Each structure stands twice: as structure tokens, then as C-alpha cells.
Amino acid sequence: MIKLKDGFSGERALVIPRMIIDLMEEDPLVSMLHITDIGYYPKAKHHFRERNEPINQYVFIYCIDGAGWYRVGNQEYTISANQYFILPAGVPHAYASDKSFPWTIYWIHFKGTLAPFYAKEANRPMDIKPIQHSRINTRIDLFEEIFNTLKNSYNLENLRYAFSMFHFYLGTLRYIQQYRNATNNSPDNENIEEITIHYMKENIEKHLSLEDIARQIGYSPSHFSMLFKKQTGHSPLTYFNLLKIQQACLLLDTTDMKINQICYKIGIEDTYYFSRLFSKIMGMSPREYRKSKKG
């Protein structure tokens, strides 16, 4: 049976050097909570890790699509889309992607004196369902900011900034209801357009069918499609593609991600289809867009 630790198409990963970790553990701020490894594995088929010799880091895994399983000691759990878990430090564990529906995951290894507090009771699957007041897309943007900050430099100010954000990131999970209630930008219950667009943005990394979206909104596909097009001038799936390409443009403008990495970040696995869709909407290829002058 194939078992892979990494090497997935579109993946991104960063391992903090041992020398930098030693420096972090001496800093009074960073030592309280710091990341040692961070990454993103899209459609990670055959992903498998087993550690019979415990490590001294906590392992955070957030599954946004697909499914998998994990084992802590003698207890085994299944994990599905919109769930996360945190494996405790010092305990043997294993985890793997589902064979039929490989997971897409954000993952972080972390340590520090505050790590046990954030990890408390999170060794079982914890839900982060896209609902009217959810802010999943905001949290994913926060992950990207942490990743990019660490990627840019290991100077002390960068590390302190990244791990200040990581405190907030874990706080959005531990205090999820407070996080959801903190914004006044929630869509109106009666506005089909606002509710739908919010749901689309919360699931920008996934492939959604018309039936998936209509079911969430509470209408039949045909009636929902008619209402949405009347309000926006676009069919639901056309509008979803517009949002995906909008996000792709942002990533092309603000990151150095490769084209195939951006594809997975907007829920499109086929780079050729992505290029065709991008060219149709933007009038140029993704590479041409990245090279073009803005503003």
C-alpha cells in the first residue's frame, strides 16, 4: 500500500530551522507559543504519518475537504470536511487521508507554554461548519499571512508578529462563537444574494454543484437559480467561478504561489481548465496577468 509523507501536487510547506527554534525558545514572547512546521496539502492522496516515538510538538490538522482518520494512543477517530483536531505532544499517533476521498488539509506543528491550553479537549474532531455567521475565509487568510510572514524572514520582529497572529488563529477556534459574533458583516437572513455569496466565499476552495448550494440556501435548484440570477444577472455557478477567479487574481498579485498551487486554493485541480476559465473571464492567461502592470 502506498504511504506518502509529502510530495502532493500543489502542496506548500515550511520547516523552521533548528537554530531558529532554539532562539524562539529563549524569547520571552515567542517561547509561549510558536510554530515549528506549517503547510498545506491539497487532495493528499495516500497521505500517511505514524509516529510511534512521541514528538514534543502539538500537531494541528484542519480538514477543509475530503476525509481521513487519526489515532491518538489507542483511540481512533474519523475526520471529514470542515473539522479540525489537535494531537497532543508526547503521545504516539498516526493519521492518514481517506483512500476514496483524500483530504485537503492545513497543518501546523507548534510548541510553547501556552500550547496545552489551546490544545485542551481538541484531540477529538471539532466542527467548523460554513454557516451564516461563519468566517472561514477570514481564518484561511490569516493562515496565509502567518505562512507568508515566516517565509519572508526569520528575524525576531517577523517571528513575534507571526506568532501573535497564531495566538489569534487558535483563539478563533477555541472561542469560535465569539469569533463569529464579533463581526457585523453577516448577511441578511432574507437576502438570497448575500447569503449565497457568503456561502460561496466560505467554500472558495471546494467544488460545489448547483444542488449543493441550493440545498444550503433552502430552495430547489431551479427556483434558487432563478432567484439568484434575477438578483445578480448571473447563474450561481457562473458567479462562483467569478469569485474563484477574483481570488486567483489576488493570489497572483500578492503571493509567489505557483499556478498549480493557486488552482487548489480555489478548488480547481485541472491547471488547463483553470487557465481556460481565467482567460475567458480576464481576457488573458494567469501568467500574462501576473506580468501585467496594475493600477
Side-chain angles (χ1 to χ4, degrees), residues 6-37:
D6 51 31
F8 310 104
S9 175
E11 75 171 37
R12 290 178 297 133
L14 186 65
V15 178
I16 310 298
R18 179 70 249 181
M19 180 178 72
I20 301 301
I21 294 175
D22 290 341
L23 291 174
M24 291 191 298
E25 292 178 345
E26 295 175 2
D27 184 81
L29 289 178
V30 179
S31 62
M32 292 190 291
L33 188 71
H34 55 276
I35 292 168
T36 63
D37 310 69

Side-chain angles (χ1 to χ4, degrees), residues 24 35 37 90 110 126 187 191 207 239 251 262:
M24 291 191 298
I35 292 168
D37 310 69
F110 65 98
M126 309 292 287
N191 192 314
H207 170 78
Y239 200 95
L251 295 174
I262 291 175

Side-chain angles (χ1 to χ4, degrees), residues 94-114:
Y95 49 86
S97 181
D98 184 85
K99 295 177 183 177
S100 301
F101 303 101
W103 61 17
T104 293
I105 57 172
Y106 289 89
W107 57 267
I108 300 172
H109 291 210
F110 65 98
K111 306 170 63 175
T113 54
L114 292 180

